[in-house]
Amino acid sequence: MRLTRYFLPVLKETPSEAQIVSHRLMLRAGMIKQASAGIYSWLPLGYKVLRNVERIVHEEQQRAGHIPMLMPTLQSADLWRESGRYDAYGPEMLRIRDRHERDLLYGPTNEEMITDIFRSHVSSYRDLPMTLYHIQWKFRDEIRPRFGVMRGREFLMKDGYNFDVDYESAIHAYNRHMVSYLRTYERMGLQAIPMRADSGPIGGDDTHEFLVLADTGESEVFYDAAITDLKFGDRKVDYDNRDECAEIVKEWTTPYARTDETHDEAIFNQVPEERRRTSRGIEVGQIFYFGTKYSEPMGATVVNREGQHVPVHMGSHGIGVSRLLGAIIEASHDDNGIIWPEGVTPFHCGIVNLKQGDAEADRACEQLYDALTAKGLEPLYDDREERAGAKFATMDLIGLPWRITVGPRGLKNGVVELTSRKTGESEELSPEVAVARVAEIYGK
Amino acid sequence: MRLTRYFLPVLKETPSEAQIVSHRLMLRAGMIKQASAGIYSWLPLGYKVLRNVERIVHEEQQRAGHIPMLMPTLQSADLWRESGRYDAYGPEMLRIRDRHERDLLYGPTNEEMITDIFRSHVSSYRDLPMTLYHIQWKFRDEIRPRFGVMRGREFLMKDGYNFDVDYESAIHAYNRHMVSYLRTYERMGLQAIPMRADSGPIGGDDTHEFLVLADTGESEVFYDAAITDLKFGDRKVDYDNRDECAEIVKEWTTPYARTDETHDEAIFNQVPEERRRTSRGIEVGQIFYFGTKYSEPMGATVVNREGQHVPVHMGSHGIGVSRLLGAIIEASHDDNGIIWPEGVTPFHCGIVNLKQGDAEADRACEQLYDALTAKGLEPLYDDREERAGAKFATMDLIGLPWRITVGPRGLKNGVVELTSRKTGESEELSPEVAVARVAEIYGK
């Protein structure tokens, strides 16, 4: 993409309404624009990152054998009356009446709707196990929306639902989700720690939240430093293998890690003192096993191997897709702007032309652009007639992990400069080697 | 995908509520499930096709230089009061009040919101031309939703908005959209004819609708048969070239083609009688030039080359993404089910194992599955323990363009059968050649 043909409305001033750094940087980098309280438009740069995060979630869900589908944003109130949650949910549910005076609501979650789909079509244990998921916009009418996309009202979430014939297989689904989430977050450059949590309005027995450590997190967290040494890496996982998944879950749940809701001082004090940590965390996902809480009242049963009708065992599993953008920025920025992890960056590499209009510099930039594109990479070429300082400031603000700087002086010596946004370190390389280096970084 | 691990709830009976063939087939093929009147869940198979249609729209929009972004589903009523449409829109607009008694609405279209984004960030002709688009769920509270996704209430639409400094450049944007739409529909296996239309509540001077010919279409259409001979093909278009785009528009708008709204009997009668056609059509898109209708009341101005503040010239351009699935099926089916065009098919190829459990047949199917997958294709393998007839019926119903049938008898002779869903013709080939043939069809 050439910047002169893009829509990247960066702001010079820091918007006064933004209290936390991710909100400030998303506004300043032209990623979002508030439409109403807690409701945002995703400007082109923000939308690109949102799609990248969404793509990673899709890939990892499908790798674990989960099936994508899509439920609508609006739901009938009748379904929620069946489960008893219509009255219980409170004022955070956006209630709507249509032209025929029928009660609708903007879905905050989809347990009822997916249970209805299941009971309409599935009746035998032979069709199980099954996990269906979707990535769809949700609405929660927060009384005081704030922190940008971190606590918005309209937000994008992946929510998945497992259906299993018995407890053991439902617990495998729970474990499978935890494993796939660990890999999902790591691909986004995040360390998200699973912590024992409270189940809240979803209900259920077992639940873990995934928290990213950040000073601005809404939860206080307590953990054994040993957990931050764990890496998922590129291990190959057989998601059908119960023992293998259980083993990985054990690895991540053995070190102490809890939020203030479930914190137990006595157990925490058994962690060696030098490893005890207190911090703050941002919740980016949560998994639940809740058994027959919805299947029983809603009559979602299957015939089991013994020929008996039994309510199906369920769990639900969420990832806060739009919120993740805020969490990633909270965890990865400096005074000059965002530092995108390579897994989610909106463009793979920036190209800065120090002397726009200089025939040789222009030609070199075009060649770099074409060479990077030919490798399957997406560069952002700053081809504006601007001074170098302004171009660097924009690149730093929007946070592309790599920048290639092209100027007449370097070109005389046959080199361009490749700079890491994270370390600030630069290297002079021939254009060909610079392209090869960037391609190698992204595995292209 | 292996069918035993998928969720494909096909129905044996024809649902009584469905009046048109696409609605019946989408329900029978397990593509959708009604959630409320005019609101659907997209089951896995339907969701896959929806994503394919969406992907083609994205690719062609970006090929034309248009910039993707995403606006929210809910909008503030205040913006619509500014344009004067809040009161004018009528009961099809879903009006919502939040917990703070603020008026919101579920967006049926986004002219106001995009104009607000534009005026907040753009002030010079130097940033133009610019076309922003998004693909987002919309809501129209139809009094009598019907025909499945063809006239739903919650529907997915691509809507794009061009911003230009003057009339001439806005007309180029109009032409550019028409050209890119021609290519978009053709990639989906559709012939969509641009027809002069009425502008309706969007307003404006120039507008064309794109209609797919089908007996169940909601509009009566009148056209010169010469237009159905036109093919876009794989011509290379420079979307920046005004003359080139205008030339293509001329090619498609010279033969007579109008809906009943703009039909002119006197002009129609000048078409040679043997080429005059009357038919019905399904609207799958519409483009508008409406000049300063929104920019003037909302104060969206730019400084032009002469230093004057002028209201920006705009147009809006829509493609009915979810509705397209219905239109494609109306245009491409037979008595046995759907016939997907290769551009949008949910799976590239079906594999039918005639004797599940037979070691050799199972092994051959697995090898085919792996070989197709290695080519970057996505096969659907019917690995159920079902009789052949039921497997064929399912494959015909869900409409994959190609099917490979594997049975012990053929394997003895070293062959499998490759069958075209469209023609019903079969060919006996070695498994390797069958894979190569399917890969070639899809350009893999």
Side-chain angles (χ1 to χ4, degrees):
Chain A
M1 179 59 68
R2 288 164 173 83
L3 197 42
T4 55
R5 305 200 63 160
Y6 203 48
F7 179 51
L8 182 71
V10 300
L11 306 179
K12 290 216 174 63
E13 278 94 53
T14 297
S16 60
E17 77 265 32
Q19 299 166 35
I20 60 171
V21 67
S22 59
H23 190 191
R24 279 198 296 274
L25 288 174
M26 288 181 82
L27 289 168
R28 284 196 53 214
M31 292 178 63
I32 53 170
K33 180 182 188 306
Q34 182 173 299
S36 319
I39 304 179
Y40 291 87
S41 286
W42 296 79
L43 303 181
L45 192 76
Y47 176 66
K48 270 184 88 77
V49 183
L50 189 68
R51 289 285 280 196
N52 286 344
V53 169
E54 200 184 12
R55 180 179 42 76
I56 292 173
V57 173
H58 269 303
E59 286 173 4
E60 293 305 326
Q61 284 302 302
Q62 290 173 51
R63 193 194 301 272
H66 305 159
I67 306 171
M69 59 173 300
L70 189 62
M71 288 175 273
T73 61
L74 297 196
Q75 304 186 20
S76 156
D78 290 341
L79 267 181
W80 288 66
R81 291 196 177 104
E82 258 191 82
S83 74
R85 283 208 294 180
Y86 188 67
D87 294 323
Y89 212 92
E92 293 200 349
M93 179 188 280
L94 188 67
R95 290 154 212 261
I96 301 170
R97 193 158 280 181
D98 73 10
R99 68 191 292 175
H100 296 299
E101 302 291 322
R102 282 175 300 213
D103 287 323
L104 300 171
L105 56 97
Y106 201 122
T109 174
N110 286 64
E111 281 80 7
E112 284 79 359
M113 191 176 274
I114 198 77
T115 305
D116 179 53
I117 290 170
F118 182 87
R119 72 181 172 184
S120 306
H121 292 298
V122 183
S123 54
S124 164
Y125 75 94
R126 279 195 214 92
D127 295 324
L128 306 184
M130 181 163 79
T131 294
L132 298 168
Y133 78 94
H134 73 157
I135 300 180
Q136 177 61 292
W137 292 91
K138 309 280 192 296
F139 201 92
R140 278 186 206 147
D141 203 358
E142 297 269 357
I143 191 158
R144 202 155 71 87
R146 58 199 159 135
F147 303 153
V149 301
M150 296 272 280
R151 191 173 289 189
R153 296 198 291 168
E154 188 171 326
F155 59 97
L156 188 61
M157 191 170 129
K158 170 256 158 180
D159 42 323
Y161 305 88
N162 70 285
F163 300 92
D164 286 276
V165 70
D166 56 26
Y167 174 79
E168 290 70 25
S169 110
I171 288 302
H172 171 56
Y174 186 89
N175 291 343
R176 194 175 63 231
H177 277 87
M178 188 181 289
V179 173
S180 75
Y181 278 27
L182 290 169
R183 196 180 150 105
T184 301
Y185 295 121
E186 217 175 91
R187 279 189 63 188
M188 297 176 192
L190 284 176
Q191 182 164 49
I193 305 173
M195 303 200 182
R196 281 190 57 163
D198 247 6
S199 61
I202 304 278
D205 311 318
D206 282 320
T207 175
H208 278 85
E209 282 179 351
F210 288 78
L211 288 108
V212 172
L213 301 178
D215 296 341
T216 48
E218 71 273 30
S219 312
E220 195 174 7
V221 299
F222 305 84
Y223 62 95
D224 177 344
I227 202 166
T228 55
D229 294 335
L230 298 175
K231 288 275 170 289
F232 195 86
D234 55 0
R235 43 180 115 182
K236 277 232 165 222
V237 177
D238 174 359
Y239 284 99
D240 291 336
N241 186 322
R242 294 189 180 195
D243 293 341
E244 193 177 339
C245 289
E247 206 47 53
I248 296 173
V249 167
K250 196 173 157 200
E251 189 181 344
W252 256 270
T253 53
T254 301
Y256 187 92
R258 295 195 183 186
T259 66
D260 45 8
E261 286 175 340
T262 52
H263 179 54
D264 184 320
E265 201 67 28
I267 310 180
F268 190 48
N269 285 335
Q270 293 165 21
V271 176
E273 193 171 358
E274 70 280 11
R275 295 205 325 240
R276 268 180 244 155
R277 298 282 187 281
T278 308
S279 174
R280 300 200 70 83
I282 300 168
E283 192 214 322
V284 292
Q286 188 160 8
I287 56 177
F288 299 91
Y289 164 72
F290 47 67
T292 60
K293 179 179 152 79
Y294 296 90
S295 57
E296 251 179 292
M298 295 185 66
T301 62
V302 289
V303 174
N304 69 10
R305 211 175 285 269
E306 288 75 38
Q308 301 155 325
H309 287 265
V310 293
V312 74
H313 286 250
M314 293 172 59
S316 72
H317 314 278
I319 293 180
V321 174
S322 49
R323 151 174 276 239
L324 267 166
L325 275 77
I328 293 168
I329 296 173
E330 290 292 334
S332 183
H333 67 271
D334 64 17
D335 289 346
N336 297 324
I338 301 164
I339 305 172
W340 289 116
E342 276 131 11
V344 300
T345 183
F347 294 96
H348 296 101
C349 171
I351 303 173
V352 166
N353 187 341
L354 292 179
K355 202 168 179 188
Q356 206 71 41
D358 176 88
E360 210 183 333
D362 290 0
R363 191 168 48 241
C365 287
E366 292 293 337
Q367 283 170 352
L368 277 169
Y369 189 92
D370 292 343
L372 289 162
T373 305
K375 291 269 189 195
L377 296 166
E378 222 183 335
L380 179 68
Y381 171 23
D382 190 344
D383 58 344
R384 295 173 303 164
E385 310 236 348
E386 278 278 3
R387 56 190 179 75
K391 292 190 175 188
F392 289 144
T394 298
M395 283 292 174
D396 283 353
L397 175 60
I398 68 171
L400 309 186
W402 298 93
R403 186 185 80 209
I404 301 178
T405 308
V406 179
R409 208 181 322 171
L411 288 176
K412 277 210 183 86
N413 302 319
V415 295
V416 297
E417 199 180 56
L418 179 66
T419 307
S420 158
R421 172 70 183 85
K422 194 170 185 174
T423 66
E425 280 164 28
S426 289
E427 225 182 324
E428 294 200 327
L429 303 166
S430 74
E432 296 70 32
V433 173
V435 169
R437 187 72 59 84
V438 175
E440 192 195 343
I441 289 162
Y442 289 102
K444 298 273 183 180
Chain B
M1 179 59 69
R2 288 166 173 82
L3 197 42
T4 54
R5 303 199 65 158
Y6 203 48
F7 178 51
L8 183 71
V10 300
L11 305 180
K12 288 213 176 65
E13 279 95 52
T14 296
S16 59
E17 76 266 32
Q19 298 166 35
I20 61 171
V21 67
S22 60
H23 190 189
R24 279 198 296 273
L25 288 174
M26 289 181 81
L27 290 168
R28 284 196 53 215
M31 291 179 63
I32 53 172
K33 179 182 188 306
Q34 182 173 298
S36 319
I39 304 179
Y40 291 88
S41 286
W42 296 79
L43 303 181
L45 192 76
Y47 177 66
K48 270 183 89 75
V49 183
L50 189 69
R51 289 286 278 196
N52 286 344
V53 169
E54 200 184 13
R55 179 178 43 75
I56 291 174
V57 172
H58 269 302
E59 286 173 4
E60 294 305 326
Q61 284 302 301
Q62 290 172 51
R63 192 193 302 271
H66 305 159
I67 307 171
M69 59 173 300
L70 189 62
M71 289 174 273
T73 62
L74 297 195
Q75 305 186 19
S76 155
D78 290 341
L79 266 182
W80 287 66
R81 291 196 178 104
E82 256 191 84
S83 72
R85 283 209 293 180
Y86 188 66
D87 294 322
Y89 211 92
E92 293 201 348
M93 178 188 279
L94 188 68
R95 290 153 211 265
I96 301 170
R97 193 158 279 180
D98 73 9
R99 69 191 292 177
H100 296 298
E101 301 291 322
R102 282 175 301 214
D103 287 323
L104 300 171
L105 56 97
Y106 201 121
T109 175
N110 286 66
E111 282 80 8
E112 284 80 358
M113 191 176 274
I114 197 77
T115 305
D116 180 53
I117 289 170
F118 181 88
R119 72 180 173 187
S120 306
H121 292 298
V122 182
S123 55
S124 164
Y125 75 94
R126 278 195 215 91
D127 295 324
L128 306 184
M130 182 163 80
T131 294
L132 299 167
Y133 79 93
H134 74 158
I135 300 179
Q136 178 60 293
W137 292 91
K138 311 281 192 295
F139 201 90
R140 278 187 204 146
D141 202 358
E142 297 269 355
I143 191 157
R144 200 154 72 87
R146 59 201 158 131
F147 303 154
V149 301
M150 296 271 281
R151 190 173 286 187
R153 294 198 292 168
E154 188 170 327
F155 60 98
L156 187 61
M157 191 168 130
K158 171 257 158 182
D159 42 323
Y161 305 89
N162 69 285
F163 300 92
D164 286 277
V165 71
D166 55 27
Y167 174 79
E168 290 71 27
S169 110
I171 289 301
H172 172 56
Y174 186 89
N175 291 342
R176 195 175 63 230
H177 277 88
M178 189 182 287
V179 173
S180 75
Y181 278 27
L182 289 169
R183 197 182 150 103
T184 302
Y185 295 121
E186 217 175 270
R187 279 188 65 189
M188 297 175 190
L190 284 176
Q191 181 164 49
I193 304 173
M195 302 198 183
R196 282 191 57 165
D198 246 8
S199 62
I202 303 279
D205 311 317
D206 284 320
T207 175
H208 278 85
E209 282 180 353
F210 288 78
L211 287 110
V212 172
L213 301 178
D215 296 340
T216 47
E218 70 274 29
S219 313
E220 196 174 7
V221 299
F222 305 84
Y223 63 95
D224 177 345
I227 202 165
T228 55
D229 294 335
L230 298 175
K231 288 274 170 291
F232 195 85
D234 56 359
R235 41 182 116 183
K236 279 230 163 221
V237 177
D238 175 359
Y239 284 98
D240 289 337
N241 186 322
R242 294 188 180 195
D243 294 340
E244 193 177 339
C245 290
E247 205 49 51
I248 296 172
V249 166
K250 197 174 154 200
E251 189 182 343
W252 255 271
T253 53
T254 301
Y256 187 92
R258 295 195 182 186
T259 66
D260 45 8
E261 285 175 341
T262 54
H263 179 54
D264 185 320
E265 201 67 26
I267 310 179
F268 189 48
N269 285 335
Q270 293 166 20
V271 176
E273 194 171 356
E274 71 278 10
R275 294 205 327 241
R276 268 179 244 154
R277 297 281 187 281
T278 307
S279 175
R280 300 200 69 82
I282 300 168
E283 193 213 320
V284 293
Q286 188 160 6
I287 56 177
F288 299 90
Y289 164 70
F290 48 67
T292 60
K293 178 179 154 79
Y294 296 91
S295 57
E296 250 179 291
M298 295 184 66
T301 62
V302 291
V303 173
N304 69 10
R305 212 175 285 269
E306 289 75 39
Q308 300 154 322
H309 288 265
V310 292
V312 76
H313 285 250
M314 293 173 59
S316 72
H317 314 277
I319 293 180
V321 174
S322 48
R323 149 173 276 238
L324 268 166
L325 275 78
I328 293 169
I329 296 173
E330 290 292 334
S332 183
H333 66 272
D334 64 16
D335 289 347
N336 297 324
I338 302 165
I339 305 172
W340 289 117
E342 275 133 11
V344 300
T345 183
F347 294 95
H348 295 101
C349 172
I351 303 173
V352 167
N353 188 340
L354 292 179
K355 201 167 179 188
Q356 205 72 41
D358 175 88
E360 209 184 332
D362 290 0
R363 188 167 52 241
C365 287
E366 291 293 339
Q367 282 169 353
L368 277 169
Y369 189 92
D370 291 344
L372 290 163
T373 305
K375 291 270 189 191
L377 296 166
E378 222 183 334
L380 179 67
Y381 171 23
D382 190 344
D383 59 343
R384 296 173 302 165
E385 311 234 348
E386 278 279 3
R387 57 190 177 75
K391 291 190 176 188
F392 288 145
T394 297
M395 283 293 173
D396 282 353
L397 176 60
I398 69 171
L400 309 186
W402 298 94
R403 185 186 81 207
I404 301 178
T405 308
V406 179
R409 208 182 322 171
L411 289 175
K412 278 208 182 87
N413 302 318
V415 294
V416 297
E417 198 179 56
L418 178 65
T419 307
S420 158
R421 173 69 182 86
K422 194 170 185 175
T423 66
E425 281 164 27
S426 287
E427 227 184 324
E428 293 200 329
L429 303 166
S430 74
E432 296 71 29
V433 173
V435 168
R437 186 73 60 85
V438 175
E440 193 195 342
I441 288 164
Y442 289 100
K444 298 273 184 183

